[in-house]
Amino acid sequence: VLLSESGGGVVQAGGSLRLSCGAPARTSGHSVMAWFRQGAGKEREFVAAIRWSDSTTYYSDSVKGRFTISRDITANTVFLQMNSLEPEDTAVYSCAAALAGPPSRLIGAKNSYTFWGQGTQVTVSS
Protein backbone atom coordinates (compact mmCIF):
# COMPACT_ATOMS: atom_id res chain seq x y z
CA VAL A 1 0.00 0.00 0.00
CA LEU A 2 1.55 3.28 -1.08
CA LEU A 3 -1.19 5.73 -0.10
CA SER A 4 -2.44 6.16 3.44
CA GLU A 5 -5.89 7.52 4.27
CA SER A 6 -7.15 8.82 7.61
CA GLY A 7 -10.07 10.77 9.02
CA GLY A 8 -12.96 8.38 8.59
CA GLY A 9 -15.49 7.73 11.33
CA VAL A 10 -19.13 7.85 12.36
CA VAL A 11 -21.10 11.08 12.05
CA GLN A 12 -24.76 12.06 12.13
CA ALA A 13 -26.53 13.25 9.02
CA GLY A 14 -25.74 16.89 8.37
CA GLY A 15 -22.34 16.60 9.98
CA SER A 16 -18.84 16.95 8.54
CA LEU A 17 -15.67 14.93 8.23
CA ARG A 18 -12.26 15.66 6.72
CA LEU A 19 -10.31 12.88 5.09
CA SER A 20 -6.57 13.00 4.45
CA CYS A 21 -4.39 10.97 2.12
CA GLY A 22 -0.62 11.02 2.23
CA ALA A 23 1.44 9.98 -0.76
CA PRO A 24 5.03 8.88 -0.11
CA ALA A 25 7.92 10.23 -2.14
CA ARG A 26 7.76 7.19 -4.36
CA THR A 27 4.58 8.57 -5.92
CA SER A 28 5.60 12.22 -5.77
CA GLY A 29 5.52 12.42 -9.54
CA HIS A 30 1.77 11.89 -9.63
CA SER A 31 -0.24 14.30 -11.73
CA VAL A 32 -3.73 13.67 -10.38
CA MET A 33 -5.05 12.47 -7.04
CA ALA A 34 -8.60 11.41 -6.47
CA TRP A 35 -11.09 10.01 -4.01
CA PHE A 36 -13.37 7.08 -4.76
CA ARG A 37 -15.89 5.37 -2.53
CA GLN A 38 -17.59 2.00 -2.35
CA GLY A 39 -20.77 1.39 -0.42
CA ALA A 40 -21.85 -2.05 0.73
CA GLY A 41 -22.96 -4.10 -2.26
CA LYS A 42 -22.16 -1.29 -4.68
CA GLU A 43 -19.55 -0.61 -7.33
CA ARG A 44 -16.63 1.71 -6.53
CA GLU A 45 -17.55 5.19 -7.70
CA PHE A 46 -15.67 8.40 -8.37
CA VAL A 47 -16.06 11.20 -5.82
CA ALA A 48 -13.54 13.96 -6.58
CA ALA A 49 -10.14 14.61 -8.14
CA ILE A 50 -7.52 17.34 -8.26
CA ARG A 51 -4.73 18.02 -10.74
CA TRP A 52 -1.47 18.52 -8.87
CA SER A 53 -0.07 21.16 -11.23
CA ASP A 54 -2.85 23.74 -11.17
CA SER A 55 -5.40 22.52 -8.60
CA THR A 56 -8.12 22.00 -11.18
CA THR A 57 -10.85 20.06 -9.40
CA TYR A 58 -13.52 17.62 -10.52
CA TYR A 59 -16.56 16.32 -8.62
CA SER A 60 -19.27 13.78 -9.11
CA ASP A 61 -22.75 15.24 -9.29
CA SER A 62 -23.73 13.50 -6.05
CA VAL A 63 -21.19 15.43 -3.95
CA LYS A 64 -20.85 18.73 -5.83
CA GLY A 65 -21.48 21.65 -3.50
CA ARG A 66 -21.00 19.52 -0.37
CA PHE A 67 -17.48 18.09 -0.71
CA THR A 68 -14.23 19.97 -1.38
CA ILE A 69 -10.98 18.40 -2.50
CA SER A 70 -7.70 20.23 -1.87
CA ARG A 71 -3.99 19.52 -1.73
CA ASP A 72 -0.88 20.44 0.22
CA ILE A 73 2.05 20.23 -2.16
CA THR A 74 4.77 20.41 0.47
CA ALA A 75 3.19 17.61 2.50
CA ASN A 76 2.27 15.61 -0.60
CA THR A 77 -1.20 15.24 0.87
CA VAL A 78 -4.71 15.49 -0.52
CA PHE A 79 -7.78 16.30 1.58
CA LEU A 80 -11.50 15.74 1.19
CA GLN A 81 -13.68 18.05 3.26
CA MET A 82 -17.15 16.52 3.46
CA ASN A 83 -20.03 18.70 4.66
CA SER A 84 -23.77 18.14 4.87
CA LEU A 85 -23.19 14.41 4.98
CA GLU A 86 -26.08 12.11 4.15
CA PRO A 87 -26.64 8.43 4.98
CA GLU A 88 -26.14 7.73 1.27
CA ASP A 89 -22.52 8.90 1.68
CA THR A 90 -21.76 5.89 3.87
CA ALA A 91 -18.92 3.97 2.21
CA VAL A 92 -15.27 3.06 2.30
CA TYR A 93 -13.40 6.04 0.88
CA SER A 94 -10.13 5.36 -0.94
CA CYS A 95 -7.63 7.75 -2.43
CA ALA A 96 -5.84 7.10 -5.69
CA ALA A 97 -2.96 8.63 -7.63
CA ALA A 98 -2.25 8.76 -11.35
CA LEU A 99 1.30 9.29 -12.62
CA ALA A 100 0.18 10.21 -16.11
CA GLY A 101 -2.46 12.89 -16.22
CA PRO A 102 -5.66 11.44 -17.67
CA PRO A 103 -7.79 13.66 -19.90
CA SER A 104 -10.79 15.23 -18.23
CA ARG A 105 -13.18 12.69 -19.72
CA LEU A 106 -11.28 9.88 -17.93
CA ILE A 107 -10.76 11.60 -14.57
CA GLY A 108 -13.50 9.47 -13.02
CA ALA A 109 -12.31 6.17 -14.46
CA LYS A 110 -10.77 3.75 -11.97
CA ASN A 111 -8.34 2.47 -14.59
CA SER A 112 -6.76 5.93 -14.87
CA TYR A 113 -5.16 5.46 -11.43
CA THR A 114 -2.10 3.38 -10.60
CA PHE A 115 -1.74 3.72 -6.83
CA TRP A 116 -4.43 3.12 -4.24
CA GLY A 117 -4.86 3.25 -0.49
CA GLN A 118 -6.62 0.67 1.66
CA GLY A 119 -9.53 2.98 2.38
CA THR A 120 -11.17 4.50 5.42
CA GLN A 121 -14.75 3.85 6.56
CA VAL A 122 -17.22 6.71 6.68
CA THR A 123 -20.57 6.00 8.29
CA VAL A 124 -23.36 8.56 8.33
CA SER A 125 -26.25 7.79 10.67
CA SER A 126 -29.74 9.16 10.12
Side-chain angles (χ1 to χ4, degrees):
V1 174
L2 296 178
L3 306 179
S4 177
E5 304 98 338
S6 63
V10 180
V11 64
Q12 288 189 328
S16 300
L17 282 175
R18 188 190 194 210
L19 305 183
S20 301
C21 175
R26 185 173 169 182
T27 60
S28 61
H30 53 261
S31 60
V32 176
M33 290 191 73
W35 289 95
F36 287 77
R37 68 185 182 186
Q38 187 168 18
K42 299 181 181 179
E43 294 288 323
R44 180 176 287 181
E45 64 173 354
F46 169 75
V47 175
I50 186 167
R51 290 195 185 275
W52 216 248
S53 59
D54 62 6
S55 292
T56 299
T57 57
Y58 306 83
Y59 296 95
S60 67
D61 288 341
S62 61
V63 306
K64 198 173 296 182
R66 300 188 297 125
F67 291 10
T68 303
I69 189 170
S70 61
R71 68 172 179 19
D72 181 336
I73 292 179
T74 56
N76 221 26
T77 299
V78 65
F79 305 97
L80 185 68
Q81 178 66 44
M82 305 184 294
N83 298 328
S84 301
L85 283 162
E86 304 166 353
E88 293 73 23
D89 295 316
T90 295
V92 175
Y93 285 70
S94 300
C95 67
L99 290 179
S104 296
R105 62 184 175 83
L106 294 178
I107 280 291
K110 297 184 288 292
N111 291 341
S112 294
Y113 298 89
T114 304
F115 302 101
W116 291 84
Q118 285 188 318
T120 184
Q121 177 70 45
V122 171
T123 302
V124 184
S125 60
S126 57

